[in-house]
Amino acid sequence: MPVTVNIVVAVDVIAALSHRSPEGSVHMMDDGPLPGRNQGTAQLITWCQPGWQINWTVQQVDLQTPAVIRGIRFGAAPQRIAGSLPFAEDLSETFVWSGIVPPDVVPGLQYRYAIDIEMARGSNSILTVDTASLVVPIPCDVETSK
Amino acid sequence: MSGERLRVMVVVDVVSALASESLDDAVWLVGSEPRGGSTGNGTRHLQTTVAVGDELLWTVMSLECEAFASIEAIRIDPAYCTVTSGVYEGTDIRYWLGTVRKNPGKAVVPYGIEFRLGSRRDVMTLSTPDLPSITGGVAP
Amino acid sequence: MTQQQMGIVGIVDVDVAFETGTLKGCSYFFGNGGPFGSTGLGTDHLVSVVHGTSWSDGSQAAQQILNLVIVGVTSLPTTLPRNYAHIQAALSSSRRAGESRAVLQVVPFGTRVLLDQTGHRLSGRGVSEDDDVAQVPPIVTDITGEAVEQQIIFPAQYGSPDLVNGGWYWSATIATSRPGIWTYTLHVLLQRPRAGADVSAEWERLTLTCDASLDIRNHPMRNGFTGAGIGFLPMELQS
């Protein structure tokens, strides 16, 4: 049965812009059938299986501030170049960040990813959170929620 | 009070200022005009016409209601205008009060504003030459 | 559905509006869409850019909401509690009664209390021309115009659930399926105490209108990983 896991990245935009760091201003949560570890932190570990769909959304804690996900990069993917975007013709386009876990993922290994969150525009507008990961559990290694 | 009280509301887009690390395009001034004659109302270049004995009252307003903004200092030539700050009784919401000591006449006296925005530790300052100002030319 | 809220702030010089009978030239609107293409900031006609997105079947992919607040140019800061005037009235009454420490006394419901711009209570009797009265914030009584008639925006008035900071504000959800420039009209009620009259009896009232526009843009929603539809995640291990 296809399973969807939603990962919400809650951002306190004013705090993130003030301190230029995800520390204390980014809180990630997922709702998968196997609850992830470190819920509410920037170090979320989300359990998944090949074939599952993962959706990422951002939610501003201070509602009237703008925040969008500008990129999600795994592993050795090219470093984000400031201002460049994967496909957008103009900066005002937004994207949906969803994908299927591929079949060749190695169980037990942490697939770290980086999320670029853009808040307003300018030299300090992009916050990168690179401490979360996806993991396929090794059979008989399924943890109960902590 | 012998003169008029002129209000200046300083509007700040806190998120834009923090994201661009600059107050350019993120600050606008709106002033009351009991005397008339102000120019640049609604922009950063508000030029307020004043006379000796007038009081200028500055308050800050952030565009995003959840964002903290505060004026930390108003920097103006004290020969023309001396400033003090006060708070609304029972709160820590601050205002700045300037008393006009000398009529600027045809001269344009610029003033700088320092802000504390969000939870950023350093203040942010309006940069020259793009500053608001006061001018005279009005009979006291 | 992801949601983006936008704030619009309007500052009106209430005294000038009463004298000229129009909001043109004495109202100043701002939004935080400046970096995203909004224009007219600091003028009486704001054009807010709204970036909508839609799925391939045309349905709206994200929700845009507009929140509107209007104040007078000499109004008290909006960061003060809405009932600040009543708190000040109660404190000043108790001081006059000789209390050594401030004790809040009940101010009769419906009492109009006037403060000056630094938050001090005015005499409470007549209002003179020289009094530095903090302008009572204008009230938006309606939002009309083609944007409403064409169902581009769905405005409604809300009361804040916060009893201390409570007050009315307007909010509108925006349908972004029809790109273009759509105008809406704000109906604004201005009020001020009539100079010389007993404060509790006479107020001048004036309803004026002011136009603003929405520049609706619509982009198709695409997948950030593939640029098109959904696919496999590009999962790689870090080296």
Side-chain angles (χ1 to χ4, degrees):
Chain A
M1 178 182 326
V3 174
T4 299
V5 178
N6 296 296
I7 298 178
V8 174
V9 184
V11 184
D12 179 339
V13 172
I14 306 270
L17 289 176
S18 296
H19 305 129
R20 288 169 247 180
S21 154
E23 207 56 43
S25 52
V26 173
H27 317 277
M28 299 177 65
M29 289 148 284
D30 70 42
D31 67 351
L34 307 169
R37 272 214 241 139
N38 305 326
Q39 296 276 10
T41 72
Q43 293 81 33
L44 180 70
I45 299 175
T46 300
W47 299 108
C48 56
Q49 296 283 2
W52 285 15
Q53 177 172 329
I54 316 287
N55 302 325
W56 284 267
T57 55
V58 67
Q59 177 62 62
Q60 310 92 310
V61 167
D62 21 22
L63 292 172
Q64 291 187 70
T65 56
V68 294
I69 296 175
R70 275 285 168 230
I72 300 184
R73 298 168 281 122
F74 284 87
Q79 289 305 301
R80 176 187 63 79
I81 303 159
S84 74
L85 290 171
F87 313 105
E89 281 110 40
D90 74 76
L91 283 179
S92 53
E93 264 202 87
T94 51
F95 294 89
V96 63
W97 297 95
S98 295
I100 312 286
V101 179
D104 56 352
V105 171
V106 178
L109 296 182
Q110 261 190 319
Y111 285 79
R112 284 258 294 249
Y113 58 88
I115 309 181
D116 301 318
I117 301 169
E118 183 183 57
M119 301 161 289
R121 293 283 150 80
S123 53
N124 185 34
S125 61
I126 300 196
L127 176 74
T128 299
V129 184
D130 60 2
T131 46
S133 53
L134 300 179
V135 182
V136 170
I138 296 173
C140 305
D141 191 28
V142 173
E143 297 197 24
T144 52
S145 60
K146 298 216 157 183
Chain B
M1 175 172 60
S2 52
E4 298 280 357
R5 178 169 278 169
L6 301 124
R7 177 74 165 279
V8 180
M9 281 198 158
V10 185
V11 182
V12 184
D13 183 341
V14 173
V15 170
S16 181
L18 292 176
S20 61
E21 305 224 80
S22 159
L23 294 170
D24 295 348
D25 303 321
V27 173
W28 304 266
L29 279 72
V30 180
S32 66
E33 303 189 58
R35 291 196 178 284
S38 300
T39 60
N41 213 343
T43 76
R44 185 161 149 161
H45 312 107
L46 172 68
Q47 186 177 106
T48 307
T49 303
V50 301
V52 174
D54 281 351
E55 274 189 331
L56 289 143
L57 174 65
W58 287 273
T59 57
V60 73
M61 181 166 189
S62 102
L63 278 193
E64 303 92 356
C65 60
E66 316 94 332
F68 173 80
S70 152
I71 296 176
E72 292 295 298
I74 304 266
R75 305 225 179 270
I76 189 169
D77 186 342
Y80 290 98
C81 182
T82 53
V83 295
T84 58
S85 73
V87 289
Y88 287 92
E89 189 181 357
T91 77
D92 56 5
I93 310 288
R94 204 191 268 184
Y95 57 80
W96 286 83
L97 214 44
T99 307
V100 179
R101 302 290 176 194
K102 178 171 148 188
N103 194 316
K106 290 207 173 74
V108 170
V109 180
Y111 58 87
I113 309 179
E114 283 179 16
F115 299 88
R116 201 168 287 283
L117 303 177
S119 45
R120 181 184 158 119
R121 201 178 308 153
D122 315 324
V123 296
M124 292 185 75
T125 309
L126 279 185
S127 58
T128 54
D130 254 352
L131 294 177
S133 55
I134 58 172
T135 188
V138 178
Chain C
M1 190 191 280
T2 56
Q3 189 190 82
Q4 178 62 62
Q5 296 207 19
M6 294 171 290
I8 293 185
V9 163
I11 301 177
V12 174
D13 192 330
V14 176
D15 291 314
V16 174
F18 267 102
E19 282 149 33
T20 59
T22 175
L23 290 173
K24 275 204 179 321
C26 62
S27 51
Y28 309 87
F29 286 87
F30 305 91
N32 60 349
F36 301 95
S38 294
T39 55
L41 276 72
T43 74
D44 51 33
H45 192 125
L46 176 68
V47 181
S48 302
V49 172
V50 180
H51 292 288
T53 53
S54 53
W55 300 113
S56 55
D57 64 357
S59 60
Q60 194 163 293
Q63 189 177 60
Q64 307 286 341
I65 297 179
L66 262 181
N67 296 312
L68 176 65
V69 163
I70 300 198
V71 295
V73 69
T74 66
S75 292
L76 296 177
T78 49
T79 38
L80 291 172
R82 276 271 175 160
N83 64 344
Y84 186 72
H86 286 77
I87 295 173
Q88 290 301 87
L91 285 174
S92 67
S93 306
S94 63
R95 276 196 207 107
R96 279 199 303 274
E99 298 273 342
S100 56
R101 57 184 176 84
V103 171
L104 265 181
Q105 294 187 355
V106 175
V107 176
F109 179 77
T111 305
R112 180 71 79 160
V113 179
L114 289 179
L115 302 182
D116 72 9
Q117 293 187 65
T118 53
H120 298 108
R121 189 170 180 196
L122 293 174
S123 60
R125 291 222 170 261
V127 173
S128 76
E129 299 242 337
D130 291 334
D131 274 328
D132 169 45
V133 183
Q135 288 168 357
V136 171
I139 299 175
V140 175
T141 56
D142 203 356
I143 301 181
T144 62
E146 66 166 358
V148 178
E149 291 154 23
Q150 296 295 317
Q151 302 194 323
I152 304 298
I153 59 172
F154 298 84
Q157 190 178 31
Y158 293 86
S160 165
D162 183 334
L163 290 174
V164 173
N165 292 311
W168 300 107
Y169 68 96
W170 282 79
S171 188
T173 49
I174 307 172
T176 54
S177 56
R178 279 179 287 163
I181 307 215
W182 303 89
T183 301
Y184 59 95
T185 301
L186 299 173
H187 298 249
V188 183
L189 171 63
L190 309 174
Q191 304 174 91
R192 69 173 178 183
R194 212 187 286 277
D198 181 326
V199 158
S200 63
E202 280 191 58
W203 283 73
E204 291 181 271
R205 287 180 174 77
L206 182 62
T207 298
L208 296 173
T209 61
C210 187
D211 288 347
S213 302
L214 296 172
D215 179 352
I216 309 259
R217 303 188 190 169
N218 201 305
H219 311 272
M221 186 64 109
R222 292 189 285 167
N223 187 288
F225 294 108
T226 66
I230 195 166
F232 285 126
L233 289 171
M235 286 173 71
E236 293 175 25
L237 289 167
Q238 289 181 346
S239 48

